[in-house]
Amino acid sequence: DGGITQSPKYLFRKEGQNVTLSCEQNLNHDAMYWYRQDPGQGLRLIYYSQIVNDFQKGDIAEGYSVSREKKESFPLTVTSAQKNPTAFYLCASSIGTGRYSNQPQHFGDGTRLSIL
Amino acid sequence: KQEVTQIPAALSVPEGENLVLNCSFTDSAIYNLQWFRQDPGKGLTSLLLIQSSQREQTSGRLNASLDKSSGRSTLYIAASQPGDSATYLCAVGPIENQGGKLIFGQGTELSVKP
């Protein structure tokens, strides 16, 4: 079955540590996205990528970094500069933007990150 | 700056009732609007997508409408069931990003009682 796989499901970060969240899709989608969700709030965009080897900052990119070396993979690193990283992180993909943007975004099941 | 608001934040109804969830947005320059469902601890499932040129979309017991001029969308759920219990989120795709980037509301948590 086609879909988006996020791992791990739960992740704990120590003080001063960088951690990387994995996102893989086998939908052959060009566009991929990372969102953060805090309790009782909607999703906020961290980074997005419209094509391989290209990505743009979203609304809350500070303290995060990404790479897009392969079409199917879009890992997110939460760096030690992110002072409040505890949240639910969701990865999504879509066929593309522009004339393809009227196709829905597909989401993974998320990674819950907590501070030790 | 585009802002999306959903009211109410939570709603509890008896099984079988028809209900309406509301979504409002401040900037009418949108590419599309999407409604999603989120179960506890899970990702989002797309329910309906309305393009900016459309007025409504239907899927089974769900009907979503869009009024760009007033900055409003509604999600109508007919004959609600306990399995409809979840958080419902609306999101708009700004026109300047050609729809790729979504701006989300905070969601409405729906509970349908048997």
Side-chain angles (χ1 to χ4, degrees):
Chain A
D1 275 10
I4 298 177
T5 301
Q6 289 188 242
S7 62
K9 191 170 176 66
Y10 300 97
L11 187 58
F12 298 91
R13 195 191 89 169
K14 294 180 182 177
E15 211 56 53
Q17 185 182 42
N18 294 350
V19 291
T20 297
L21 285 61
S22 170
C23 178
E24 303 277 332
Q25 55 100 357
N26 60 4
L27 299 166
N28 200 33
H29 285 173
D30 281 322
M32 297 187 74
Y33 313 83
W34 273 106
Y35 295 93
R36 169 181 172 140
Q37 186 176 33
D38 293 284
Q41 296 190 32
L43 281 66
R44 292 182 290 168
L45 184 66
I46 305 172
Y47 268 97
Y48 64 107
S49 168
Q50 294 175 306
I51 200 165
V52 175
N53 292 322
D54 184 59
F55 50 83
Q56 290 82 39
K57 292 182 180 180
D59 299 318
I60 54 166
E62 186 174 348
Y64 300 97
S65 66
V66 294
S67 62
R68 186 85 187 277
E69 297 175 0
K70 298 187 294 182
K71 186 175 185 177
E72 59 271 24
S73 179
F74 191 41
L76 173 74
T77 297
V78 184
T79 75
S80 57
Q82 173 48 246
K83 298 307 178 188
N84 183 24
T86 298
F88 190 47
Y89 291 86
L90 287 159
C91 178
S93 72
S94 64
I95 290 177
T97 56
R99 63 191 176 106
Y100 298 111
S101 66
N102 282 316
Q103 298 294 323
Q105 290 189 12
H106 297 254
F107 283 78
D109 275 343
T111 292
R112 191 166 298 280
L113 176 62
S114 302
I115 294 293
L116 279 179
Chain B
K1 180 186 172 186
Q2 177 74 269
E3 292 183 2
V4 180
T5 304
Q6 292 185 247
I7 295 174
L11 180 64
S12 181
V13 301
E15 182 177 3
E17 191 163 298
N18 301 327
L19 59 99
V20 174
L21 305 181
N22 296 295
C23 173
S24 61
F25 46 95
T26 55
D27 187 346
S28 63
I30 66 170
Y31 207 80
N32 57 34
L33 183 143
Q34 299 185 45
W35 282 93
F36 294 89
R37 168 185 172 137
Q38 185 177 30
D39 293 294
K42 296 290 189 180
L44 278 63
T45 300
S46 178
L47 297 173
L48 291 164
L49 183 151
I50 309 177
Q51 299 177 35
S52 62
S53 59
Q54 297 175 325
R55 298 283 297 195
E56 65 178 343
Q57 283 286 341
T58 297
S59 175
R61 293 182 295 108
L62 306 179
N63 175 277
S65 68
L66 174 64
D67 184 344
K68 279 201 313 178
S69 61
S70 66
R72 292 183 182 178
S73 176
T74 61
L75 179 66
Y76 174 83
I77 302 177
S80 58
Q81 303 170 358
D84 294 330
S85 298
T87 297
Y88 291 80
L89 296 124
C90 73
V92 299
I95 200 165
E96 67 267 22
N97 297 107
Q98 298 184 30
K101 172 181 171 179
L102 294 179
I103 298 172
F104 283 81
Q106 300 95 324
T108 293
E109 185 176 357
L110 173 66
S111 176
V112 181
K113 304 294 186 186

